[in-house]
Amino acid sequence: MKKTWIMTQEWHHVLFLHWPVSPEKICKYIPAELELDLYNHQAWIGIVFFQVKGNRPRFIPPLPGFKSYLELNVRTYVTYKGKTGVYFFSLDANHPLIVELANLGDFLPYRNAKISFKKHKKIFSLYSKYERQNENILTTFEPITKPLESTRLNTWLTERYSLWTKTKGRLFRVDISHTPWRLQNVNGLVYENTMAPFLKENFSMKRPLAHYSTMKKARFYPPILEK
């Protein structure tokens, strides 16, 4: 039976920043039902930024004031009963009402943050700050025009079509769909990074593996209670 999507949005100016981390440093921060998905015996932390546009439920046009915002998430990669996907430590957005709606039922860890995103000539600048825990990131980057040839690692990091979240003692999965990523390499620098401060390993001081994609349209499907 084909599933029916319930929400759609476009992701513009998608920036992927990835760091390898020791599995032992991160495993205790994911639900016990999940297992870390490892690449060459390493876990990975991803910081992913994008501009949301055209945010809307199925059959409803985008509502003024709700259709666009900036989002920055911190995630790692997990498996559940052989299925691979994503677990989010945090999802920051610069839209208080979106955060409030997304937090209904404590389903996902959305947080209201100050996020700015600007472009000067070919250079993008991104700054995000979550004040309650003094988490921030500051980076500038320039996408390289030529599309990047897919590699096993790039595909492993980005082609993820399920997320898991645990609320009120129950584990849920949300599936998404979109076309495969067309990635570009990035020239850039991370000047500040205090995201995911619970990790004892100071991954933020290392140079990330960075990728960029211009735009992707995604669809979200109803949550599924895992058994």
Side-chain angles (χ1 to χ4, degrees), residues 2 41-42 46-47 68 84 128 131 143 161 177 194 206 210 213 221:
K2 188 176 181 180
H41 310 291
Q42 289 279 2
I47 295 179
S68 181
T84 63
S128 178
E131 293 185 334
Y161 298 94
S177 65
T194 58
K206 303 173 184 177
S213 186
Y221 295 86

Side-chain angles (χ1 to χ4, degrees), residues 19-72:
W19 292 262
V21 295
S22 301
E24 296 79 13
K25 303 290 186 180
I26 196 173
C27 62
K28 60 184 176 182
Y29 298 107
I30 66 173
E33 298 90 337
L34 302 176
E35 293 184 12
L36 284 172
D37 195 7
L38 305 181
Y39 188 93
N40 289 344
H41 310 291
Q42 289 279 2
W44 286 75
I45 284 285
I47 295 179
V48 184
F49 165 81
F50 49 90
Q51 182 179 19
V52 174
K53 292 186 179 181
N55 182 54
R56 67 176 180 87
R58 189 179 178 94
F59 302 126
I60 299 176
L63 300 175
F66 287 86
K67 62 184 179 181
S68 181
Y69 56 92
L70 302 177
E71 181 170 321
L72 180 89

Side-chain angles (χ1 to χ4, degrees), residues 83-184:
K83 191 176 184 67
T84 63
V86 171
Y87 179 75
F88 290 105
F89 296 113
S90 62
L91 301 104
D92 293 346
N94 69 337
H95 194 307
L97 288 178
I98 290 288
V99 171
E100 188 173 339
L101 290 172
N103 278 333
L104 291 176
D106 295 323
F107 192 71
L108 285 170
Y110 267 91
R111 313 184 303 187
N112 186 31
K114 294 180 179 179
I115 308 176
S116 66
F117 182 61
K118 300 176 182 179
K119 183 180 181 182
H120 178 67
K121 296 182 179 179
K122 296 182 179 181
I123 307 295
F124 292 99
S125 61
L126 164 66
Y127 179 68
S128 178
K129 183 175 182 63
Y130 177 60
E131 293 185 334
R132 285 190 180 183
Q133 296 183 16
N134 195 30
E135 295 181 46
N136 64 72
I137 187 167
L138 172 62
T139 180
T140 60
F141 64 94
E142 178 183 1
I144 297 174
T145 304
K146 184 179 178 181
L148 180 64
E149 185 174 334
S150 295
T151 67
R152 182 168 170 259
L153 177 57
N154 296 346
T155 300
W156 186 90
L157 289 169
T158 60
E159 300 297 343
R160 300 280 170 158
Y161 298 94
S162 297
L163 69 89
W164 282 274
T165 184
K166 190 172 183 179
T167 179
K168 297 179 174 62
R170 298 185 295 175
L171 186 71
F172 290 87
R173 187 183 83 242
V174 176
D175 295 328
I176 66 171
S177 65
H178 58 69
T179 57
W181 290 100
R182 289 178 58 85
L183 299 173
Q184 299 166 233

